[in-house]
Amino acid sequence: MNSKLMLLITALYISLPALSQTIYKSTDYKVFPNMIVQGGFMAKAISDNEIISNYKSSESERYSPEISFKFSINGRDNEMMSGRDHIVTLTPVNGHLTTLIKFGERVVKILPELKNTTLQEETRWTVILDMRHVFKAFDKEGYYTFFNGDRLYQKDFKKVYIAGSSTPLIWDFNNLYRHPELELKDPDGDRIYETTLIMNSKKNIKRSSPFWKLSRDISEFPQYKSDFPISDAIYNLSLEEMINAIEPDSTFRTGKEWSGVWTRDISYSIILSLAYLQPKVAKYSLLRKVKNGVIVQDTGTGGAYPVSTDRMVWAIAAWELYKVTGDMQWLRTAYDVIKRSVEQDILNVYDNKTGMVKGESSFLDWREQTYPNWMEPADIYESECLGTNAVHFKANMVLSDMAEILNERDVAEKHIDIARKIKMGVNKYLWMDDKGFYSQYLYGRNYKIISSRSEALGEALSVIFGIADDKKSRSIVSKTPVTSFGISCIFPQIPHIPPYHNNAVWPFVQSYWALASAKAQNEKAVLESIAAIYRPTAMFLTNKENFVAESGDYAGTQINSSNMLWSLAGNLALIYRVFFGLNYCKDSLVFTPFVPNAFDGKRTLNNVRVRSAILNIEMSGSGNKIRAFYIDGKPSSEFSVPYTLSGVHSIKIILENNKARGDSINRVENKNAPETPGIDLCNGILRWDVIKNAKAYLIIKNGKAWKKIYDNSIEIERGRGGEYQVVAIDSNGIESFATEPVEDNIEKTDKIGEYKQYVEISKTSNIKVEVPVCISVSGIYSIRVRYANGSGPINTDNKCAIRTLKVNGQKAGVFVFPQRGTNEWSNWGYSNTLQIKLRKGNNKLEIYYDPLNENMNGEINNALLDALILSKRR
């Protein structure tokens, strides 16, 4: 920044005092009508079209010489157990230093007195990694055994990387391959690998802009004006960023650092506000996410669908777009796509036992950030998550509404019934009476249990979509934990996992929380949400993707984009859907405004397009009740505008200045849960790791709480069968994730291929695989498949293999075989576990490809099947 601009900004700070009224105040920041103050930082609205900010990221301004890191083979967290890292204080000489480490042997060399200093800029750090013992194991055994017992076969060794906490290092193991500088190489073949990194490089310093001034023409969009300059300026900044997000092909870009259209991002954005502002661009963007007549699940663990299943949020966005436009052709197009997609889901991801839907938490698709480390992609597929189920509930309601309009009554009734079952399942299996909000998810293998964490987006959607009744809605909004800078994606946080979904606030989630808070009539929660969205926008002068929950800083999360689509859409939704309460229904635009008392005053929203009409809206007062409503100067008892209206019209709304009934929130100090213990069952003794700060351990047997003890081992009665897990509990009653299940059951293994060979399945070969199974005792058995899938990485792509299981001629469920690593065909793992009924004697099992078992690739749906593993349950 040049000196003249800095002098100008300094002068403006001095000359523009904060307006005396305090809108919002917490221990960390304050919001005034024209500015926001956070410690020594200030962001001020000079006018409706200009904001200045002196915010500086504490994270980016200081670069500690203490570095935490570990090594990674093939982009996995596989050197040491999670949370156990190398820690080294870098002390360069003449700008350079070298560190030598043997793979798997922890190094801790720290100088505490230097921790709070700053590392010399442009430090060249050469890291040398001794891998000779790994290759010696390859030569002797054919494989190397990791700390957790997993084997790496020599032909599956691809590359070795360094991961860590300080730029250019990242903790995102799954995306290390995108950073070539983090790959260590062995140019001379001595099996000693190395790389040289530039630490504290000037080019990596993240700084936000100090000044924003409107540079785009926003006159064609609704024009907002109020008594609160900071609100007006943030609205205009968000409109400008919305325009910036439109690509030359008339689709929306996901973010400045995220190119392309992504199903969940575009859909959540359209629902929030983009259907109203850019219906044509919204339509083109949604159509981009349709392939082979179904909605695309374009990202997710283990090859996307069906491990991730939140693509159905597309249906809700499509419905929003129809309500805004009334376009019947669009309705028919969307209806066909949604109907086919739901039919596919009914086979692949619906759980007939719970009535709910399987698959990864909606938008939380980085597995380490929200799941325990032991959960493989197949385990994540089996989880039944709050947010994802809320999406599927609403998608089925949408499909029913569309079918009614198209006079397909049987379809309408079918999907109303499906939605009812999902709603019942969520309230039966996920509601936590003791906490007053829903569980994050069900998880496990043979016996699913609840995670006691909250999940912000899912809690919000459950209120907004009507899964929660009025009583539960009020409880959710008042009791779900909220941190000082906003509602974190999950709570409590997972220890040793860097901020991204974990330990982070996402503004678009906060916007949905604001909508839920308004519906629950909780004024304090609405006000806090508005403040939590306005603070980062004003301070950073852009709509960021996320920020660290603990500090409120944009630097420190693993990935963070500016001009983020769903963040800006959520910011605009505060005006449209909260303050003015614009609610597009089937036949009319209904007004349900919510203006917290702190924002009492006058506001206008002009040039609002409602199909063939243009509305100029004037509002005064505060509260969530309308005292008087006028259309073109004439009073109306209906607080709505029919879609048959055309031309330009004036709307005047006078609010009651009432106090909404809800005024409590559960603001908490940001906390980590205890670590998840490791567990072992041997010779009738169940043992687990001693966890720091744990005061007790809850033992779970067959999905039910069994015993709470204070030691780290217990003897069990052998031969009685059972599946065991352990949860660590700290002095505040905060629970860890449950350990990986361990069994006291005798497993029976049946080879799938003849002569101990595996069977290769694809869409053209071995479409049906028959496996005869002879059982000595009839009953319920758990069954899983040992398999390999080297079609892609563990974190993304679209080649998860899917097959249907028949037992003695009857459909018994679906097996998923997620990707386990690119070209890693010797990397064997296990499918999800199904429970089936077997009769005494001979049984015929068929694993076959059903046309609805299609993944998102459409062509490659391959795996190697090695064996069936059976275990009697009862």
Side-chain angles (χ1 to χ4, degrees):
M1 188 192 329
N2 63 49
S3 57
K4 287 184 179 180
L5 180 57
M6 178 58 80
L7 287 171
L8 173 62
I9 291 174
T10 303
L12 286 169
Y13 274 116
I14 295 170
S15 64
L16 288 175
L19 300 181
S20 58
Q21 175 190 354
T22 302
I23 297 173
Y24 172 81
K25 179 173 69 174
S26 75
T27 55
D28 291 291
Y29 65 98
K30 296 178 182 179
V31 179
F32 299 94
N34 69 329
M35 66 184 292
I36 296 174
V37 177
Q38 180 183 336
F41 302 130
M42 292 179 286
K44 288 187 177 181
I46 301 171
S47 70
D48 294 352
N49 300 324
E50 296 177 83
I51 308 175
I52 55 175
S53 171
N54 69 344
Y55 184 83
K56 290 184 179 179
S57 165
S58 58
E59 182 77 18
S60 64
E61 293 296 316
R62 188 180 68 82
Y63 194 107
S64 174
E66 187 173 298
I67 309 295
S68 297
F69 63 100
K70 61 172 48 171
F71 299 98
S72 164
I73 294 177
N74 295 350
R76 304 284 185 86
D77 184 1
N78 51 18
E79 185 191 11
M80 299 177 286
M81 66 182 294
S82 180
R84 185 174 174 83
D85 309 323
H86 306 291
I87 308 175
V88 172
T89 301
L90 303 187
T91 54
V93 176
N94 297 323
H96 182 261
L97 77 156
T98 299
T99 301
L100 171 64
I101 294 178
K102 183 178 180 180
F103 184 87
E105 294 187 5
R106 191 183 188 209
V107 170
V108 178
K109 293 182 179 179
I110 58 175
L111 299 173
E113 66 273 17
L114 297 181
K115 182 174 182 178
N116 295 318
T117 63
T118 296
L119 179 67
Q120 177 184 335
E121 286 187 355
E122 308 297 330
T123 292
R124 295 178 69 250
W125 181 31
T126 298
V127 183
I128 300 176
L129 178 65
D130 186 350
M131 293 279 289
R132 288 176 294 183
H133 61 297
V134 174
F135 282 88
K136 185 176 180 180
F138 287 158
D139 295 339
K140 182 179 179 180
E141 306 288 346
Y143 57 84
Y144 171 75
T145 303
F146 291 111
F147 70 94
N148 59 359
D150 287 351
R151 293 177 178 179
L152 174 72
Y153 289 86
Q154 184 166 9
K155 64 181 180 180
D156 285 334
F157 175 84
K158 307 299 179 186
K159 295 180 179 181
V160 61
Y161 302 91
I162 182 171
S165 59
S166 303
T167 307
L169 301 178
I170 60 170
W171 279 123
D172 185 359
F173 289 91
N174 294 320
N175 285 302
L176 289 170
Y177 72 96
R178 298 180 186 273
H179 300 265
E181 72 277 13
L182 302 183
E183 180 187 348
L184 292 87
K185 296 186 177 180
D186 177 19
D188 55 7
D190 62 357
R191 297 172 176 175
I192 296 176
Y193 289 69
E194 66 177 79
T195 188
T196 297
L197 302 169
I198 307 301
M199 310 299 286
N200 197 16
S201 173
K202 291 180 181 179
K203 71 177 184 179
N204 290 325
I205 295 176
K206 302 175 182 178
R207 290 195 174 100
S208 57
S209 171
F211 188 82
W212 169 78
K213 184 174 182 179
L214 183 66
S215 60
R216 293 274 200 163
D217 180 5
I218 59 172
S219 60
E220 68 175 290
F221 304 106
Q223 301 295 295
Y224 176 63
K225 182 73 176 175
S226 72
D227 297 333
F228 303 87
I230 195 69
S231 178
D232 301 356
I234 288 172
Y235 173 82
N236 289 334
L237 180 154
S238 299
L239 272 184
E240 179 172 75
E241 292 202 323
M242 183 267 295
I243 297 171
N244 293 342
I246 301 173
E247 297 279 41
D249 65 354
S250 294
T251 61
F252 277 117
R253 183 183 179 91
T254 300
K256 185 177 180 181
E257 283 78 34
W258 291 104
S259 62
V261 182
W262 297 76
T263 302
R264 69 171 66 94
D265 297 61
I266 187 60
S267 299
Y268 279 120
S269 302
I270 287 170
I271 296 163
L272 284 166
S273 62
L274 297 187
Y276 327 143
L277 290 168
Q278 292 280 2
K280 287 185 178 179
V281 179
K283 178 180 174 181
Y284 297 152
S285 299
L286 286 176
L287 287 173
R288 185 66 61 85
K289 306 316 297 179
V290 177
K291 180 181 177 182
N292 298 327
V294 297
I295 304 163
V296 173
Q297 182 75 46
D298 49 17
T299 184
T301 297
Y305 185 83
V307 177
S308 282
T309 58
D310 67 341
R311 61 177 179 156
M312 295 311 301
V313 70
W314 187 100
I316 309 169
W319 178 238
E320 192 71 18
L321 187 57
Y322 165 72
K323 290 186 295 179
V324 169
T325 63
D327 184 344
M328 284 299 296
Q329 183 177 349
W330 169 249
L331 181 75
R332 293 186 184 94
T333 297
Y335 173 75
D336 289 341
V337 170
I338 297 165
K339 188 168 178 284
R340 279 192 290 265
S341 301
V342 172
E343 288 300 321
Q344 187 180 27
D345 285 348
I346 287 171
L347 174 64
N348 294 326
V349 299
Y350 279 39
D351 184 340
N352 292 328
K353 179 181 178 181
T354 64
M356 295 197 295
V357 179
K358 301 176 184 180
E360 197 163 37
S361 292
S362 182
F363 117 88
L364 304 174
D365 61 340
W366 182 346
R367 65 190 184 115
E368 294 89 350
Q369 290 277 332
T370 43
Y371 285 95
N373 197 52
W374 60 263
M375 287 183 72
E376 294 282 345
D379 296 313
I380 292 173
Y381 161 79
E382 279 290 337
S383 65
E384 301 185 26
C385 305
L386 178 61
T388 301
N389 272 274
V391 163
H392 280 265
F393 164 78
K394 185 62 175 177
N396 276 281
M397 294 293 290
V398 162
L399 185 54
S400 179
D401 284 339
M402 288 182 167
E404 284 282 357
I405 294 171
L406 297 172
N407 293 316
E408 295 196 16
R409 298 295 170 79
D410 289 347
V411 175
E413 290 177 8
K414 173 183 176 179
H415 291 282
I416 278 287
D417 187 56
I418 291 173
R420 179 184 59 81
K421 289 177 181 176
I422 295 172
K423 180 177 179 177
M424 288 176 61
V426 170
N427 282 297
K428 179 178 180 179
Y429 293 101
L430 295 182
W431 181 255
M432 298 185 291
D433 266 324
D434 59 328
K435 296 184 181 296
F437 51 84
Y438 290 110
S439 159
Q440 169 185 26
Y441 47 62
L442 288 179
Y443 70 122
R445 289 189 180 144
N446 293 298
Y447 303 94
K448 292 180 182 177
I449 61 175
I450 61 168
S451 165
S452 60
R453 283 174 167 83
S454 62
E455 189 259 288
L457 181 60
E459 310 287 352
L461 296 180
S462 297
V463 173
I464 295 165
F465 295 157
I467 289 176
D469 60 22
D470 188 54
K471 182 180 178 181
K472 279 191 171 83
S473 295
R474 295 197 306 273
S475 177
I476 289 165
V477 173
S478 64
K479 294 182 178 179
T480 300
V482 178
T483 64
S484 181
F485 287 102
I487 187 163
S488 58
C489 295
I490 60 171
F491 189 91
Q493 316 305 331
I494 306 173
H496 308 301
I497 299 295
Y500 185 60
H501 295 138
N502 187 61
N503 192 22
V505 176
W506 287 59
F508 99 91
V509 174
Q510 190 77 56
S511 296
Y512 277 100
W513 187 249
L515 296 177
S517 301
K519 186 176 180 183
Q521 302 185 50
N522 190 315
E523 181 172 342
K524 189 170 185 179
V526 172
L527 180 61
E528 290 228 349
S529 290
I530 294 168
I533 293 165
Y534 279 178
R535 181 202 67 86
T537 312
M539 287 290 174
F540 311 153
L541 295 176
T542 184
N543 285 282
K544 283 285 190 183
E545 181 177 359
N546 50 51
F547 53 85
V548 180
E550 211 154 64
S551 64
D553 193 8
Y554 66 85
T557 61
Q558 292 297 285
I559 308 167
N560 203 347
S561 177
S562 301
N563 209 128
M564 195 68 184
L565 190 67
W566 49 18
S567 300
L568 69 90
N571 216 322
L572 295 167
L574 295 181
I575 305 302
Y576 305 143
R577 300 192 61 182
V578 178
F579 284 161
F580 286 89
L582 304 184
N583 184 10
Y584 285 80
C585 298
K586 288 183 186 179
D587 303 311
S588 62
L589 174 66
V590 178
F591 291 81
T592 56
F594 197 125
V595 178
N597 183 256
F599 280 94
D600 184 22
K602 295 181 178 180
R603 52 186 38 84
T604 59
L605 188 65
N606 294 327
N607 195 32
V608 178
R609 297 183 181 274
V610 182
R611 298 196 183 179
S612 298
I614 296 177
L615 306 182
N616 295 316
I617 309 169
E618 175 189 343
M619 179 187 288
S620 62
S622 65
N624 66 340
K625 294 183 179 179
I626 296 175
R627 179 192 303 171
F629 188 91
Y630 300 89
I631 302 177
D632 296 329
K634 297 178 181 179
S636 172
S637 59
E638 298 291 331
F639 307 149
S640 62
V641 173
Y643 291 145
T644 54
L645 199 67
S646 62
V648 179
H649 300 271
S650 65
I651 304 292
K652 183 176 181 180
I653 303 171
I654 302 173
L655 299 178
E656 279 279 10
N657 295 323
N658 66 295
K659 183 79 171 176
R661 64 185 179 189
D663 199 25
S664 66
I665 63 170
N666 183 20
R667 187 188 294 165
V668 297
E669 180 184 347
N670 196 33
K671 290 183 181 295
N672 287 334
E675 291 185 58
T676 305
I679 191 170
D680 179 62
L681 176 58
C682 184
N683 296 323
I685 304 295
L686 187 69
R687 291 188 176 87
W688 54 91
D689 296 335
V690 175
I691 298 299
K692 182 181 179 181
N693 298 327
K695 300 301 181 184
Y697 300 94
L698 176 66
I699 305 169
I700 297 169
K701 180 180 179 181
N702 294 341
K704 305 290 184 183
W706 183 44
K707 293 183 179 181
K708 182 187 278 190
I709 67 172
Y710 303 92
D711 203 350
N712 71 314
S713 67
I714 189 171
E715 186 174 358
I716 65 169
E717 190 174 354
R718 301 177 66 182
R720 299 297 297 271
E723 182 181 82
Y724 295 88
Q725 295 174 275
V726 173
V727 173
I729 306 172
D730 71 11
S731 58
N732 296 308
I734 296 177
E735 298 179 353
S736 73
F737 283 126
T739 62
E740 183 171 13
V742 293
E743 290 200 59
D744 181 39
N745 289 328
I746 298 173
E747 293 186 331
K748 178 180 186 297
T749 300
D750 286 272
K751 292 294 295 182
I752 293 177
E754 295 181 0
Y755 309 112
K756 297 186 178 181
Q757 295 295 309
Y758 54 75
V759 171
E760 181 177 355
I761 59 170
S762 72
K763 290 176 67 175
T764 57
S765 64
N766 292 312
I767 295 173
K768 181 169 72 173
V769 178
E770 295 185 3
V771 184
V773 173
C774 186
I775 296 296
S776 59
V777 179
S778 64
I780 302 300
Y781 286 76
S782 65
I783 181 172
R784 55 182 176 158
V785 180
R786 187 171 185 263
Y787 82 98
N789 182 347
S791 297
I794 197 170
N795 65 313
T796 185
D797 213 336
N798 56 12
K799 304 182 189 75
C800 177
I802 316 166
R803 294 296 184 273
T804 298
L805 173 68
K806 276 187 179 179
V807 177
N808 297 322
Q810 300 295 315
K811 285 186 179 180
V814 167
F815 283 127
V816 298
F817 310 109
Q819 298 163 187
R820 297 186 59 80
T822 303
N823 294 322
E824 294 184 35
W825 291 101
S826 297
N827 182 349
W828 296 93
Y830 294 97
S831 71
N832 58 307
T833 299
L834 298 175
Q835 293 203 5
I836 60 174
K837 187 175 182 178
L838 296 177
R839 62 198 179 204
K840 182 179 179 180
N842 295 323
N843 296 265
K844 185 174 77 170
L845 275 58
E846 299 170 74
I847 301 172
Y848 71 99
Y849 176 77
D850 185 293
L852 291 175
N853 292 147
E854 189 60 273
N855 61 22
M856 293 295 109
N857 183 270
E859 296 180 11
I860 299 173
N861 196 323
N862 304 351
L864 306 180
L865 308 186
D866 176 56
L868 291 178
I869 294 86
L870 292 164
S871 177
K872 193 172 189 305
R873 310 315 316 170
R874 61 183 187 275

